[in-house]
C-alpha cells in the first residue's frame, strides 16, 4: 500500500501547507514530529504532518486547507496536559491527522489600562504574568503550570483550575474562533467584543497587530472570568464539588471547547496583584482539624485567602528528594528558565531513543544523580513540621487579611493538636515552590525506580464541598498494588491531586479503573481541572456539547473516549 504521505492528494496538501507556513514549519518525519505526537504524560500516535504557522492568517489558511482536504485537525499549544488531550491517541482514526502547533503565535494585547488582555494562541501564562507584573496586575493563574510553559488558551479550552481560590476555573465568554459547521466548511466567528471588520483575513491581521482602539471595544460583551465562583466556593454545605471539568456552567464557545474549535484569541480579565502577602504554614495529624479550618476560612472572613495548598507528608518527602533539582533551578534562575530546561530535556530524550542500548528516561536518571550534590533547599521549620505532622497546609493571604487570620489561627490552635507559624518571605516562597515541585516528583520517582515501578496513575479529583472525610482511604486490594501515594492539592476548593506509583506487573489503567467506583460513591467528580482527554469517559452532556461545537467530528475526535469517526457515525448507529 502507498504510504499516506505519498498519495497525490496528500502530496498536494503538504505542498499547500508548505506554501502557507514555509517548508521549515511543516514537519513530517518521525523524529521531527515526535515531541508533538507524544503527550507530556500520556498519549501518542501518528500524524500526516505537524504545522507551525507564524501568523493568525497562516493559521486560518492552514486550517482551511486541512478542512477542505478532509483531514482531522488537532490543535496543540504547549503540550503540557496530563490526559493526552492535545495529541493523537493511537492509530485507529478513519482520516489522517494534521497537528497544528500554535507555539509561534505568541503575544497579548492589554486593553482598558491592563484590566483585560487579548491573548493569541501561543501566549503563555509566564509571558502574561511578566507583562502584567509591570503594572501590578496578574493573570488568572500564576502557580505551577506557568512555570512549565502552559498556554493561556490551553487553560481556557480545558477550563483549567488553579490554586487561586478567589478566581475559579479559567473561563471567558469573549473569543475569536474558527468553527466547522454541518456543511463541512470552516467559518470565522468574532465574539471578542471588539470591532475588527468583516473579512476573515483582515480581522486576523488587525487582531494580531492590535491595531484597534478603545472605541472599537464593547465593554459589556461578556464575562472575562467566572465572577460567581467566589460565592460558589463559600457554599461549604453544598453536596456537590466547587469545580470540575464537566460542569456545563463553565462552558461557553472557546471556554471548555477541548480543541473542538480553532481558537485565534481570547479576551480575559486580569486582577490586582497582592502587595506584601502573608504566608502561614500549618501542620496537623488530624484531617478533621484541617477541615474545620477550611470551613471557617471560607465563611468566617469577609475576604477569602489568596490560596490554600495542601501536601501530605509522603508527598513532602518525595518532592524533597525527587523535586529538589527543579526547586533549585527555579530559585537560582527563576521560572523563565524552566521551559527551556524541559525543552532541552525532551530533545535529549528523543536523541537517546535512537540508541537502543541506552536506558529509558535517561535524562531523569542523570538529573536525579546530579541532584545529590545540591544542598538542602527547605527551611528548618518546614522540616521540623514534616517530622511532627502528617498533613501540611500553606495558607497565603493579603496583607489586610493577615492580622485577622493570625489571630484566628492563634485562637484555634490554642485548643487544637496541630500548630502553625507565620513564614518569613523566603520561607513562604520556598513552601509554595516545594508544593509545586511535588507535581513532577512522581514522574521522576518512576523513572529512577523503573525496575520496581510499572507506571503512574494521576488523578485530579473534585470533592464535594460538604465532604468532611476528604482524605482518601483505599481498600487493601488496591493499596497492595501501590508503591507510594502522593496527595497534594487546592484544599480550599476541595480539589485534590492524587498520584500513585504502581508496582511492577500491575496494569496502571486497570488499577485506576478500580479506584473510580470508590470516588463515585463519595460523590466526587473527576477530572477536576485537566479535562477528560483520552483517559476519561465524558458524560453524555459533555459529548452533546462537543457535537454542537464540532458536528463533523473533524476537530480532535476521540476526546472523552468518544467515537473518532467522521460525523460521530458510531454514536448514531
Amino acid at each position: 500500500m502507498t504510504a499516506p504521505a505519498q498519495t497525490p492528494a496528500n502530496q498536494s496538501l503538504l505542498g499547500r501547507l508548505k506554501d502557507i507556513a514555509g517548508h521549515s514549519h511543516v514537519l513530517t518525519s518521525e523524529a521531527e514530529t515526535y515531541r508533538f505526537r507524544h503527550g507530556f504524560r500520556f498519549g501518542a500516535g501518528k500524524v500526516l504532518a505537524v504545522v507551525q504557522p507564524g501568523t493568525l492568517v497562516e493559521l486560518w489558511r492552514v486550517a482551511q486547507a486541512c478542512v477542505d482536504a478532509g483531514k482531522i485537525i488537532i490543535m496543540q499549544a504547549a503540550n503540557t496536559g496530563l490526559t493526552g488531550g492535545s495529541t493523537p491517541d493511537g492509530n485507529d482514526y478513519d482520516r489522517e491527522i494534521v497537528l497544528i502547533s500554535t507555539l509561534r503565535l505568541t503575544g497579548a494585547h492589554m486593553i482598558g489600562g491592563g484590566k483585560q488582555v487579548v491573548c493569541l494562541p501561543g501566549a503563555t501564562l509566564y509571558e502574561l504574568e511578566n507583562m502584567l507584573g509591570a503594572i501590578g496586575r496578574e493573570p488568572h493563574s500564576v502557580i505551577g503550570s506557568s512555570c512549565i510553559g502552559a498556554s493561556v488558551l490551553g487553560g481556557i479550552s480545558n477550563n483549567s483550575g488553579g490554586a487561586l481560590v478567589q478566581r475559579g476555573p479559567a473561563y471567558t465568554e469573549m473569543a475569536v474562533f474558527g468553527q466547522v459547521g454541518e456543511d463541512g466548511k470552516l467559518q470565522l466567528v468574532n465574539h471578542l467584543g471588539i470591532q475588527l471588520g468583516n473579512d476573515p483575513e483582515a480581522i486576523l491581521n488587525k487582531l494580531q497587530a492590535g491595531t484597534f482602539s478603545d472605541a472599537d471595544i464593547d465593554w459589556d460583551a461578556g464575562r472575562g472570568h467566572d465572577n460567581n465562583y467566589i460565592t460558589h466556593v463559600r457554599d461549604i454545605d453544598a453536596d456537590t464539588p466547587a469545580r470540575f471539568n464537566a460542569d456545563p456552567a463553565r462552558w461557553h464557545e472557546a471556554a471548555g471547547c477541548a480543541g473542538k474549535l480553532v481558537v485565534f484569541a481570547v479576551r480575559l480579565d486580569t486582577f490586582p496583584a497582592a502587595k506584601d502577602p502573608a504566608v502561614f504554614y500549618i501542620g496537623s495529624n488530624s484531617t478533621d482539624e484541617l477541615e474545620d479550618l477550611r470551613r471557617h476560612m471560607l465563611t468566617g472572613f469577609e475576604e477569602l485567602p489568596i490560596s490554600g495548598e495542601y501536601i501530605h507528608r509522603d508527598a513532602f518527602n518525595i518532592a524533597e528528594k525527587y523535586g529538589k533539582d527543579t526547586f533549585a533551578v527555579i530559585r537560582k534562575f527563576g521560572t523563565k528558565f524552566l521551559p527551556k530546561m524541559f525543552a532541552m530535556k525532551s530533545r535529549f530524550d528523543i536523541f537517546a531513543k535512537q540508541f537502543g542500548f541506552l536506558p529509558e528516561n535517561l535524562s531523569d536518571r542523570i538529573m536525579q544523580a546530579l541532584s545529590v550534590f545540591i544542598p538542602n533547599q527547605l527551611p528548618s521549620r518546614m522540616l521540623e513540621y514534616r517530622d511532627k505532622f502528617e498533613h501540611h497546609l500553606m495558607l497565603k493571604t493579603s496583607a489586610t487579611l493577615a492580622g485577622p487570620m493570625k489571630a484566628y489561627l492563634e485562637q484555634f490552635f490554642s485548643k487544637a493538636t496541630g500548630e502553625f507559624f507565620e513564614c518569613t518571605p523566603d520561607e513562604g516562597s520556598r513552601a509554595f515552590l516545594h508544593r509545586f515541585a511535588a507535581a513532577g516528583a512522581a514522574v521522576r520517582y518512576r523513572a529512577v525506580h523503573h525496575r520496581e515501578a510499572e507506571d503512574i496513575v494521576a488523578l485530579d479529583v473534585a470533592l464535594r464541598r460538604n465532604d468532611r472525610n476528604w482524605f482518601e482511604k483505599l481498600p487493601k486490594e488496591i493499596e497492595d498494588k501501590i508503591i507510594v501515594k502522593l496527595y497534594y492539592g487546592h484544599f480550599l476548593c476541595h480539589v485534590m491531586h492524587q498520584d500513585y506509583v504502581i508496582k511492577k506487573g500491575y496494569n496502571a489503567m486497570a488499577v485506576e479503573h478500580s479506584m473510580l467506583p470508590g470516588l463515585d460513591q463519595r460523590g466526587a467528580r473527576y477530572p477536576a481541572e485537566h479535562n477528560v482527554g483520552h483517559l476519561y469517559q465524558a458524560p453524555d452532556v459533555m459529548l452533546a456539547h462537543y457535537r454542537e461545537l464540532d458536528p463533523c467530528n473533524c476537530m480532535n475526535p476521540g476526546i472523552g473516549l468518544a467515537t473518532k469517526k467522521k460525523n460521530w457515525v458510531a454514536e448514531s448507529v
Side-chain angles (χ1 to χ4, degrees):
M1 178 180 291
T2 305
Q6 299 303 317
T7 66
N10 283 342
Q11 286 297 306
S12 176
L13 174 62
L14 292 173
R16 186 175 176 193
L17 296 177
K18 290 174 182 177
D19 288 341
I20 295 168
H23 283 240
S24 62
H25 298 299
V26 179
L27 314 177
T28 56
S29 74
E30 293 282 315
E32 288 176 325
T33 61
Y34 180 91
R35 65 190 179 100
F36 300 94
R37 295 183 291 106
H38 287 71
F40 182 65
R41 276 196 186 175
F42 175 86
K46 293 185 179 299
V47 298
L48 177 65
V50 172
V51 186
Q52 302 170 295
T55 68
L56 295 184
V57 169
E58 286 183 9
L59 173 57
W60 169 251
R61 292 175 179 173
V62 166
Q64 277 190 317
C66 294
V67 170
D68 291 346
K71 305 303 182 186
I72 287 170
I73 294 175
I74 294 180
M75 299 296 300
Q76 184 184 94
N79 194 16
T80 58
L82 304 183
T83 59
S86 61
T87 57
D89 174 45
N91 300 310
D92 57 339
Y93 294 85
D94 61 344
R95 293 148 290 165
E96 290 146 342
I97 297 168
V98 175
L99 190 153
I100 302 177
S101 170
T102 62
L103 290 179
R104 296 178 65 211
L105 300 172
T106 59
H109 308 299
M110 290 192 291
I111 59 175
K115 291 183 179 180
Q116 289 189 333
V117 287
V118 175
C119 294
L120 303 187
T124 64
L125 285 168
Y126 174 79
E127 174 189 0
L128 188 56
E129 191 176 339
N130 269 0
M131 176 190 293
L132 293 171
I135 60 169
R137 298 187 73 83
E138 293 177 339
H140 170 270
S141 178
V142 295
I143 186 173
S145 54
S146 59
C147 296
I148 57 174
S151 71
V152 176
L153 264 67
I156 292 295
S157 295
N158 295 308
N159 289 135
S160 298
L164 304 179
V165 68
Q166 301 173 13
R167 301 180 191 177
Y171 177 80
T172 186
E173 295 170 355
M174 298 171 286
V176 174
F177 55 90
Q179 183 173 28
V180 182
E182 293 184 2
D183 61 357
K185 301 297 183 183
L186 183 68
Q187 301 294 326
L188 188 69
V189 179
N190 179 11
H191 288 169
L192 198 64
I194 301 177
Q195 292 295 325
L196 297 168
N198 297 310
D199 175 70
E201 295 198 359
I203 288 172
L204 296 175
N205 275 323
K206 194 170 184 178
L207 180 59
Q208 182 147 17
T211 52
F212 45 83
S213 67
D214 284 351
D216 296 321
I217 301 172
D218 177 3
W219 295 105
D220 297 313
R223 294 188 295 161
H225 81 288
D226 181 8
N227 55 1
N228 296 323
Y229 185 76
I230 198 167
T231 301
H232 185 73
V233 74
R234 284 185 185 269
D235 189 359
I236 58 173
D237 294 317
D239 199 37
T240 56
R243 55 180 170 92
F244 55 97
N245 187 257
D247 185 355
R250 298 187 180 94
W251 299 335
H252 187 88
E253 298 176 341
C257 72
K260 290 291 185 179
L261 301 171
V262 182
V263 183
F264 292 90
V266 294
R267 177 175 159 191
L268 303 167
D269 294 334
T270 69
F271 306 87
K275 296 181 179 179
D276 303 317
V279 175
F280 300 95
Y281 199 95
I282 298 165
S284 177
N285 289 313
S286 167
T287 58
D288 280 340
E289 282 184 0
L290 289 192
E291 182 59 21
D292 288 340
L293 281 172
R294 186 187 78 90
R295 294 173 70 87
H296 186 80
M297 289 172 187
L298 290 174
T299 60
F301 300 94
E302 288 188 14
E303 178 186 342
L304 283 182
I306 296 169
S307 61
E309 292 294 289
Y310 168 82
I311 186 169
H312 184 265
R313 178 160 53 198
D314 291 346
F316 184 114
N317 290 335
I318 294 293
E320 180 189 15
K321 182 174 181 178
Y322 297 96
K324 184 166 66 169
D325 55 333
T326 299
F327 188 114
V329 165
I330 296 174
R331 285 198 64 237
K332 178 70 174 177
F333 301 105
T335 58
K336 183 177 182 179
F337 180 73
L338 214 56
K340 297 178 183 178
M341 187 182 81
F342 277 96
M344 290 188 292
K345 179 179 177 297
S346 175
R347 290 188 179 95
F348 178 84
D349 285 336
I350 293 168
F351 173 77
K353 281 182 181 292
Q354 300 177 45
F355 304 94
F357 61 88
L358 292 177
E360 288 284 323
N361 305 307
L362 182 59
S363 64
D364 277 301
R365 298 190 203 182
I366 293 173
M367 292 167 74
Q368 188 60 34
L370 294 175
S371 72
V372 301
F373 300 104
I374 300 174
N376 172 54
Q377 299 292 304
L378 298 179
S380 59
R381 289 201 286 183
M382 283 178 61
L383 296 173
E384 290 169 6
Y385 268 46
R386 182 268 310 277
D387 295 336
K388 293 173 67 174
F389 301 114
E390 181 180 3
H391 306 286
H392 298 242
L393 179 65
M394 289 142 276
L395 184 70
K396 182 181 289 187
T397 74
S398 69
T400 55
L401 183 57
M405 184 61 71
K406 184 176 182 180
Y408 167 68
L409 292 174
E410 289 173 343
Q411 180 271 327
F412 182 87
F413 284 111
S414 67
K415 301 175 183 178
T417 61
E419 299 176 20
F420 86 98
F421 63 86
E422 184 172 2
C423 296
T424 65
D426 181 63
E427 286 175 327
S429 173
R430 293 191 190 216
F432 275 89
L433 183 50
H434 182 59
R435 155 61 186 90
F436 163 67
V443 175
R444 174 67 59 79
Y445 183 97
R446 177 190 61 178
V448 173
H449 297 273
H450 57 97
R451 291 186 178 89
E452 302 87 26
E454 184 69 31
D455 208 341
I456 296 171
V457 169
L459 296 175
D460 57 301
V461 179
L463 303 174
R464 292 176 291 120
R465 283 168 282 175
N466 65 354
D467 191 353
R468 290 198 61 89
N469 300 314
W470 56 271
F471 190 72
E472 180 177 67
K473 293 179 175 61
L474 291 171
K476 186 177 185 301
E477 60 268 22
I478 297 178
E479 192 82 50
D480 289 346
K481 299 172 183 176
I482 299 170
I483 299 174
V484 66
K485 298 173 294 187
L486 284 74
Y487 292 139
Y488 52 95
H490 315 308
F491 190 63
L492 298 182
C493 298
H494 253 195
V495 168
M496 300 299 295
H497 295 276
Q498 301 174 179
D499 293 346
Y500 313 85
V501 182
I502 307 303
K503 292 179 181 177
K504 203 75 172 177
Y506 291 104
N507 182 283
M509 191 71 71
V511 174
E512 177 176 345
H513 287 168
S514 71
M515 295 175 174
L516 302 184
L519 293 173
D520 294 338
Q521 291 172 10
R522 296 171 63 193
R525 299 297 298 266
Y526 48 87
E529 54 187 13
H530 287 141
N531 205 313
V532 290
H534 292 291
L535 285 180
Y536 300 95
Q537 176 67 56
D540 289 343
V541 66
M542 198 173 205
L543 293 178
H545 170 62
Y546 291 159
R547 285 195 296 269
E548 183 178 354
L549 292 177
D550 177 24
C552 297
N553 202 25
C554 62
M555 301 291 301
N556 210 13
I559 289 294
L561 305 183
T563 177
K564 297 174 180 175
K565 305 298 183 184
K566 185 177 180 180
N567 298 324
W568 304 85
V569 67
E571 295 187 2
S572 62
V573 175

